[in-house]
């Protein structure tokens, strides 16, 4: 059975909650895998050495050597390292941390996992929907690389994400046709549609990347065209 | 070139209900499908492009027949229909959502279904995806320029707009009918439409549009198993009247001609974009 571990660094645990939010599907997923490590779901203290898939949520606090060591160890131990959720994929709200907070005022530098170690897949979103997490795990179990390609690409190039991507990559390139997929995808309602184009409220954007990754005018994998 | 994408069968049809036909653009297929869905329980909420102030289009979640009827008719301007999709599921609590959109919006919803990153618990609530034929669209101010500057009708007075016989038609609430040659509207099209290769909403469960059928009728493509089941339910309930597509004028030949011309022209635009180093969806 495929060995899967869930590891958490600087994050709110929302990505794991999202995975658990699949209800009965979670049982299918847990039935299909051997969950070898998960602080919340399993009583195991150490990440074992040979793990097929590590789902790592959270960004890496560069002021904390434990976090760095965990990130490096996970890379070494995992055949497939997945940056689960926006903090791991693109920094998300931890991008805004400048230190001074209780109870660790010296923790001021947070980098997404994708900037610290080489990741194989990155799933943006805050949190990514339960459906998308299950779809990625299922595709990884089945070796469906076609489906995973956009996630592999985000792991490689996607360490920056912001509502501004819609302006720079879509509107500025005369590709936006005003479907509104970005606005509905935004978890904080930072994207509104005005005159058929997204308007970004930068004060509210948490840089989760959901809007631009949902845009069909940036990425439209061919397999979407297969309908039954 | 494959002009229509994959489909099971095509027919010509119109809503049997006079009230729908009076308010709708052509055969009233989308309204008839929505109303049948809401009344039979196949759908419990539908996304419409509602008429806003001064003939602008506003996406809305409709849950009643009256709301569907008051939104009927084509608005030739962008209506971000996907933007209210999550609200249909969350705020309205709909489990069986009906969607209608232009071909590009249908592509968006298909992407959402396959890659639902920001759409928690939405994909399994989409019961029907309808698409409408579309050559291109206008930003609101483009439409306004066409209607106010070229046709001399104020936006607040517009009752209906239409495209047909090579012209853009504006009907005012006071009975005026004004037209402008379609080719004179081209400068106001939104540029993003020119990379689109899809005229007949090839990824919808059911696609429909006036082209190919006589006035007051619509051409329909049934594409998926879901679409076929929904269509059969409508047919059995008698909410649409149908004709064999091969028996109507001008028939699928005209749809094919327009679909191919969109693919050809926009294919050139795509090649041009590549040449000058502009990105395309990939």
């Amino acid at each position: 059975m495929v060995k899967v571990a869930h590891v958490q660094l600087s994050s709110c645990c929302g990505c794991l909650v999202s995975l658990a939010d699949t209800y009965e599907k979670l049982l299918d997923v847990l039935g299909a895998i051997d969950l070898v490590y998960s602080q919340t779901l399993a009583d195991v203290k150490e990440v074992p050495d040979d793990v097929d898939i590590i789902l790592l949520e959270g960004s890496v606090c560069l002021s904390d050597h434990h976090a760095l060591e965990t990130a490096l160890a996970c890379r070494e131990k995992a055949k497939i390292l997945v940056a689960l959720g926006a903090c791991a994929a693109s920094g998300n709200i931890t991008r805004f941390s400048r230190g001074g907070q209780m109870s660790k005022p010296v923790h001021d530098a947070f980098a997404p996992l994708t900037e610290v170690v080489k990741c194989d897949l990155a799933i943006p979103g805050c949190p990514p929907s339960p459906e998308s997490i299950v779809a990625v795990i299922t595709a990884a179990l089945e070796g469906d690389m076609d489906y995973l390609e956009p996630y592999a690409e985000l792991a490689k190039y996607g360490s920056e994400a912001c509502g501004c991507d819609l302006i720079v990559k879509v509107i500025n390139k005369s590709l936006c046709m005003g479907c509104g997929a970005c606005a509905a995808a935004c978890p904080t309602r930072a994207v509104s549609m005005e005159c058929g184009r997204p308007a970004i409220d930068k004060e509210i954007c948490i840089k989760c990347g959901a809007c631009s990754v949902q845009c069909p005018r940036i990425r439209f994998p061919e397999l979407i065209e297969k309908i039954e | 070139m494959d002009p229509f994408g994959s489909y099971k069968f095509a027919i010509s049809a119109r809503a049997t209900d006079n009230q729908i036909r009076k308010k709708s653009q052509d055969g009233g297929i989308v309204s008839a499908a929505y109303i049948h869905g809401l009344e039979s329980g196949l759908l419990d909420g539908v996304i419409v492009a509602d008429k806003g102030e001064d003939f602008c289009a506003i996406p809305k979640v409709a849950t009643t027949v009256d709301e569907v009827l008051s939104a009927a008719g084509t608005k030739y301007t962008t209506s971000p229909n996907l933007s209210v999709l999550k609200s249909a599921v969350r705020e309205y609590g709909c489990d069986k959502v009906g969607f209608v959109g232009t071909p590009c919006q249908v592509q968006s919803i298909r992407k959402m279904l396959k890659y639902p990153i920001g759409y928690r618990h939405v994909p399994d609530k989409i019961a029907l995806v309808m698409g409408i034929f579309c050559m291109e669209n206008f930003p609101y101010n483009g439409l306004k320029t066409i209607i106010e500057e070229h046709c001399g009708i104020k936006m607040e007075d517009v009752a209906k707009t239409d495209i047909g016989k090579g012209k853009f038609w504006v009907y005012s609430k006071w009975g005026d009918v004004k037209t402008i040659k379609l080719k004179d509207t081209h400068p106001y099209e939104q540029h993003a439409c020119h990379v689109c290769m899809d005229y007949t909403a090839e990824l919808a469960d059911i696609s429909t549009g006036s082209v190919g059928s006589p006035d007051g009728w619509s051409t329909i493509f049934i594409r998926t198993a879901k679409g076929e089941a929904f269509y059969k339910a409508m047919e059995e309930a008698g909410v649409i009247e149908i004709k064999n597509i091969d028996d109507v004028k001008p028939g699928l030949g005209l749809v094919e001609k327009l679909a191919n011309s969109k693919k050809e022209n926009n294919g050139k635009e795509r090649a041009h974009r590549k040449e000058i180093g502009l990105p395309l969806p990939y």
Side-chain angles (χ1 to χ4, degrees):
Chain A
M1 213 179 253
V2 177
K3 284 189 254 178
V4 179
H6 169 266
V7 180
Q8 190 181 357
L9 288 174
S10 298
S11 78
C12 69
C13 204
C15 300
L16 184 67
V17 172
S18 187
L19 172 62
D21 194 15
T22 51
Y23 298 105
E24 67 273 24
K25 264 198 201 140
L26 177 66
L27 298 178
D28 293 345
V29 172
L30 290 179
I33 61 170
D34 183 9
L35 189 68
V36 294
Y37 178 87
S38 173
Q39 282 182 322
T40 318
L41 298 177
D43 190 17
V44 181
K45 302 282 183 248
E46 291 283 329
V47 182
D49 280 341
D50 282 313
V51 188
D52 296 297
I53 303 173
I54 292 183
L55 303 165
L56 198 153
E57 80 168 82
S59 60
V60 185
C61 180
L62 302 183
S63 337
D64 175 1
H65 71 93
H66 296 294
L68 274 166
E69 281 155 18
T70 303
L72 293 171
C74 283
R75 174 63 279 180
E76 213 152 276
K77 290 173 176 181
K79 285 201 190 90
I80 301 173
L81 179 60
V82 183
L84 173 65
C87 292
S90 62
N92 201 31
I93 196 149
T94 67
R95 285 277 192 210
F96 298 101
S97 176
R98 294 149 58 248
Q101 71 274 26
M102 294 299 283
S103 60
K104 293 281 185 185
V106 292
H107 285 188
D108 56 2
F110 294 83
L113 183 70
T114 50
E115 285 181 4
V116 177
V117 295
K118 183 182 166 295
C119 296
D120 301 294
L121 303 167
I123 317 177
C126 183
S129 73
E131 290 85 354
S132 60
I133 301 174
V134 170
V136 169
I137 294 176
T138 310
L141 293 177
E142 290 167 358
D144 184 352
M145 293 319 288
D146 280 350
Y147 180 80
L148 294 173
E149 180 53 32
Y151 295 108
E153 198 181 277
L154 286 162
K156 251 189 251 168
Y157 311 114
S159 77
E160 282 175 44
C162 180
C164 298
D165 293 343
L166 299 172
I167 298 172
V168 175
K169 296 183 178 172
V170 196
I171 299 174
N172 289 172
K173 301 294 184 292
S174 88
L175 287 171
C176 181
M177 41 56 182
C179 69
C182 49
C186 178
T188 63
R189 303 194 185 200
V191 183
S192 55
M193 296 302 289
E194 280 165 33
C195 295
R197 294 289 179 267
I200 323 299
D201 188 337
K202 285 194 287 183
E203 296 293 314
I204 306 178
C205 172
I206 53 169
K207 296 179 181 284
C208 74
C211 55
S212 55
V213 84
Q214 208 75 61
C215 178
R217 286 302 179 91
I218 298 175
R219 200 73 175 83
F220 195 78
E222 234 171 78
L223 60 94
I224 296 170
E225 287 169 25
K226 280 184 213 129
I227 56 166
E228 282 159 22
Chain B
M1 225 173 330
D2 174 16
F4 307 138
S6 71
Y7 66 101
K8 291 178 188 288
F9 58 94
I11 47 142
S12 186
R14 67 176 186 182
T16 40
D17 186 339
N18 278 331
Q19 206 196 346
I20 296 177
R21 287 217 308 273
K22 230 165 42 193
K23 299 207 170 186
S24 63
Q25 193 75 10
D26 299 292
I29 302 304
V30 174
S31 304
Y34 271 178
I35 289 170
H36 174 67
L38 291 175
E39 287 184 335
S40 66
L42 287 172
L43 305 174
D44 59 7
V46 296
I47 313 293
V48 296
D50 202 15
K51 285 187 201 98
E53 224 171 89
D54 292 344
F55 215 70
C56 74
I58 301 173
K60 178 181 163 173
V61 183
T63 54
T64 66
V65 174
D66 283 347
E67 284 174 309
V68 173
L69 282 174
S70 74
T74 307
K75 296 106 205 145
Y76 291 96
T77 185
T78 46
S79 173
N81 281 6
L82 270 96
S83 67
V84 296
L85 210 48
K86 212 147 89 179
S87 144
V89 172
R90 292 274 201 293
E91 289 160 83
Y92 290 77
C94 301
D95 287 327
K96 294 168 274 184
V97 179
F99 181 86
V100 68
T102 51
C104 56
Q105 294 181 334
V106 171
Q107 289 172 359
S108 282
I109 201 168
R110 286 292 175 204
K111 176 168 179 180
M112 183 280 286
L113 291 171
K114 277 258 162 71
Y115 290 96
I117 292 148
Y119 283 83
R120 170 178 169 262
H121 293 345
V122 177
D124 61 330
K125 312 286 193 313
I126 306 299
L128 180 70
V129 175
M130 283 188 290
I132 43 183
F133 300 175
C134 176
M135 193 58 93
E136 70 273 311
N137 205 348
F138 302 105
Y140 180 73
N141 278 330
L143 183 71
K144 189 174 174 178
T145 310
I146 294 169
I147 292 175
E148 295 201 334
E149 307 289 321
H150 289 269
C151 298
I153 290 177
K154 281 190 184 158
M155 289 306 270
E156 61 197 62
D157 293 335
V158 178
K160 182 181 174 172
T161 52
D162 200 6
I163 288 178
K165 303 181 175 70
K167 288 176 186 166
F168 186 94
W169 301 69
V170 188
Y171 300 82
S172 87
K173 288 173 185 163
W174 324 114
D176 306 296
V177 184
K178 296 282 174 65
T179 63
I180 165 177
K181 278 185 199 149
L182 210 47
K183 75 170 183 5
D184 295 333
T185 66
H186 293 334
Y188 306 105
E189 289 164 3
Q190 73 173 352
H191 275 267
C193 294
H194 297 163
V195 301
C196 173
M197 304 287 275
D198 187 350
Y199 176 66
T200 57
E202 296 174 18
L203 302 186
D205 293 318
I206 296 175
S207 319
T208 183
S210 68
V211 173
S213 289
D215 284 351
W217 291 73
S218 297
T219 302
I220 307 183
F221 290 102
I222 311 295
R223 299 184 182 279
T224 63
K226 222 182 207 179
E228 188 172 8
F230 200 93
Y231 163 79
K232 285 267 150 66
M234 282 170 76
E235 199 187 359
E236 273 162 31
V239 299
I240 49 169
E241 198 182 325
I242 59 170
K243 282 184 181 175
N244 190 329
I245 191 74
D246 298 325
D247 299 340
V248 301
K249 293 275 184 251
L252 282 186
L254 184 62
V255 189
E256 182 173 349
K257 194 180 142 201
L258 291 179
N260 281 339
S261 83
K262 180 169 184 178
K263 285 173 196 282
E264 204 171 299
N265 291 338
N266 293 353
K268 278 182 205 154
E269 173 65 19
R270 291 172 76 98
H272 176 65
R273 284 183 66 101
K274 246 185 219 162
E275 219 175 86
I276 60 176
L278 282 173
L280 285 166
Y282 64 103

